[in-house]
Amino acid sequence: MKRLSTGLTDVGVVRKVNQDNYYIDPEGRFFIVADGMGGHAGGEEASHLATQTIQAYLEKSWHTAESSKIILEQALLEANQAIINDQRQHPARSDMGTTVVVLLFRDEQPLCAHIGDSRLYRLRGAKLDQITEDHTWVALAIRMGEISPDQARVHPWRHVLAQCLGREDLRQIDVQPVQIQPSDRLLLCSDGLTEELSDQVIASQLKSIRVCEKAAAALINAAKEHGGRDNITVIVLSIDGSG
């Protein structure tokens, strides 16, 4: 199946520095969105390091006999170690980290790996599904029935991450298969988008605007119009069955 994609990032309305990063493989083999944290220099460096390390590892391992799941897990663990090494060399950046979401098309069925609250969505028809599950305190509280999704959207702890890259205690990477079919649309994004826009608004934009570039721009503009309090990064991907 043919894949058409575009990526955009924006500093937003409030922030002065963009700590997000993204990468689209020119051959459409993999897609990465990272959202850094830990001060201006730290967050910028963490998301850049993660994106660069994951890209390099996937390219290096692409034609090996290793399974895609192992390659994806190892790519994120390598990125985690790269950030830790940088923290040790630059104590001023010792608290930096980053979320990341990666979508990999190496086998018949694509795989997704993620850490933190950067997300992968799939639009099928009019239905938008969040494929990834946030690694945050509020997501855990929702799963345990302690708060509702509506409460989570305004909870003061909604940005508290349970996991991110750049931590010594990171041991396990969530990797999952992603079911796709022709005419699906996929969205990778940082929480600068989902903090401002409901799933219903995201679905409406993806469904009504078919050109990837225009859909990505519309999503970012909508997030800015709703406050734009954080950096906003999106990758919009269309699955075309004619390819």
Side-chain angles (χ1 to χ4, degrees):
M1 287 184 279
K2 187 178 178 183
R3 297 183 288 276
L4 303 173
S5 65
T6 196
L8 284 176
T9 188
D10 194 284
V11 72
V13 175
V14 175
R15 302 287 177 92
K16 302 298 183 187
V17 174
N18 193 342
Q19 299 181 66
D20 286 2
N21 209 305
Y22 77 92
Y23 180 78
I24 296 177
D25 174 61
E27 298 175 41
R29 299 175 299 174
F30 56 88
F31 305 81
I32 306 168
V33 166
D35 177 0
M37 69 210 74
H40 290 172
E44 219 175 347
E45 182 65 16
S47 63
H48 173 74
L49 263 177
T51 304
Q52 189 177 56
T53 305
I54 292 167
Q55 172 196 345
Y57 192 88
L58 293 179
E59 289 174 348
K60 176 182 73 175
S61 307
W62 196 264
H63 297 294
T64 65
E66 197 67 81
S67 73
S68 295
K69 182 176 186 292
I70 295 297
I71 288 172
L72 202 44
E73 288 173 347
Q74 195 58 40
L76 269 68
L77 290 173
E78 291 263 335
N80 186 59
Q81 192 58 51
I83 295 170
I84 290 170
N85 292 344
D86 189 275
Q87 291 170 345
R88 291 170 179 162
Q89 293 168 12
H90 303 91
R93 298 203 288 257
S94 61
D95 64 341
M96 73 176 179
T98 187
T99 70
V100 72
V101 58
V102 185
L103 183 61
L104 180 77
F105 290 85
R106 186 168 177 256
D107 308 312
E108 188 170 335
Q109 186 169 51
L111 293 177
C112 174
H114 81 292
I115 294 283
D117 57 2
S118 289
R119 295 179 180 176
L120 172 67
Y121 285 94
R122 180 189 61 214
L123 181 78
R124 179 169 292 169
K127 189 173 187 293
L128 185 74
D129 289 309
Q130 182 181 332
I131 305 300
T132 52
E133 196 170 76
D134 293 349
H135 298 135
T136 58
W137 182 89
V138 295
L140 180 61
I142 290 171
R143 291 196 292 275
M144 295 177 67
E146 295 176 357
I147 62 173
S148 70
D150 285 341
Q151 289 172 321
R153 285 193 65 82
V154 295
H155 199 283
W157 292 2
R158 66 188 180 277
H159 299 301
V160 176
L161 296 175
Q163 288 185 37
C164 69
L165 293 183
R167 298 295 176 263
E168 297 271 6
D169 60 355
L170 180 65
R171 297 286 180 268
Q172 184 177 344
I173 307 296
D174 283 357
V175 177
Q176 64 190 105
V178 181
Q179 307 286 342
I180 61 166
Q181 64 186 37
S183 300
D184 282 352
R185 304 196 89 187
L186 300 171
L187 170 69
L188 293 83
C189 64
S190 64
D191 73 336
L193 183 79
T194 53
E195 177 72 9
E196 306 296 359
L197 302 182
S198 67
D199 285 4
Q200 291 82 357
V201 172
I202 293 171
S204 174
Q205 298 279 14
L206 287 175
K207 186 173 184 295
S208 61
I209 305 171
R210 299 308 302 171
V211 178
C212 288
E213 290 85 349
K214 292 181 179 179
L219 286 167
I220 284 182
N221 288 335
K224 290 170 73 174
E225 288 166 6
H226 282 76
R229 291 165 289 180
D230 199 355
N231 309 143
I232 311 153
T233 301
V234 301
I235 294 177
V236 178
L237 175 63
S238 292
I239 307 299
D240 182 357
S242 65

